């Protein structure tokens, strides 16, 4: 689980690409927040499946007409991501194998 909070109290750090491709170039003072839950599943040594649920939201500190999500109509968004990573022969649940040592002789 992860929670992130970013405060742009002066409204100078977060601005988009401008209409219609992003949030307005005139950014407003806001608190940006994100919460996510993720799971890694390794069915075998060659496949890693990662799943993440994520919720992003913004709390403007001044009244606004447009929000950054869902075609400027919403102050939050919910995302689900599930990539599959394959790397034959080199991935294991505990990390890549370490160096091997020859057996000692007595």
């Amino acid at each position: 689980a992860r929670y992130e909070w970013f405060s742009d109290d002066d409204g100078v750090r977060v601005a988009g690409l401008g209409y219609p491709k992003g949030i307005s170039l005139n950014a407003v003072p806001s608190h940006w927040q994100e919460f996510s839950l993720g799971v890694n599943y390794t069915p075998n040594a060659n496949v890693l499946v990662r799943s993440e649920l994520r919720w992003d939201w913004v709390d403007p500190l001044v009244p606004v007409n447009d929000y950054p999500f869902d075609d400027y109509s919403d102050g939050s968004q919910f995302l689900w991501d599930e990539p599959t990573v394959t790397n034959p022969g080199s991935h294991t649940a505990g990390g890549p194998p370490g160096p091997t040592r020859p057996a000692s002789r007595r």
Side-chain angles (χ1 to χ4, degrees):
R2 180 181 71 223
Y3 170 76
E4 295 180 7
W5 175 70
F6 175 72
S7 179
D8 187 8
D9 290 336
D10 297 320
V12 297
R13 295 183 180 202
V14 179
L17 300 173
Y19 292 105
K21 298 285 185 182
I23 59 176
S24 170
L25 287 173
N26 300 320
V28 297
S30 302
H31 292 165
W32 297 81
Q33 298 176 71
E34 173 266 330
F35 178 74
S36 63
L37 292 172
V39 174
N40 289 345
Y41 171 63
T42 307
N44 62 51
N46 300 323
V47 176
L48 171 66
V49 178
R50 293 182 172 170
S51 185
E52 180 182 54
L53 297 172
R54 177 177 169 142
W55 181 38
D56 298 302
W57 70 98
V58 62
D59 296 318
L61 302 177
V62 298
V64 297
N65 294 323
D66 297 321
Y67 289 92
F69 306 113
D70 198 17
D71 203 21
Y72 313 110
S73 65
D74 204 336
S76 67
Q77 69 177 355
F78 184 74
L79 304 167
W80 175 42
D81 184 31
E82 190 161 338
T84 301
V85 180
T86 60
N87 196 1
S90 66
H91 177 78
T92 61
T100 58
R101 294 184 180 163
S104 61
R105 295 184 186 187
R106 290 186 181 213

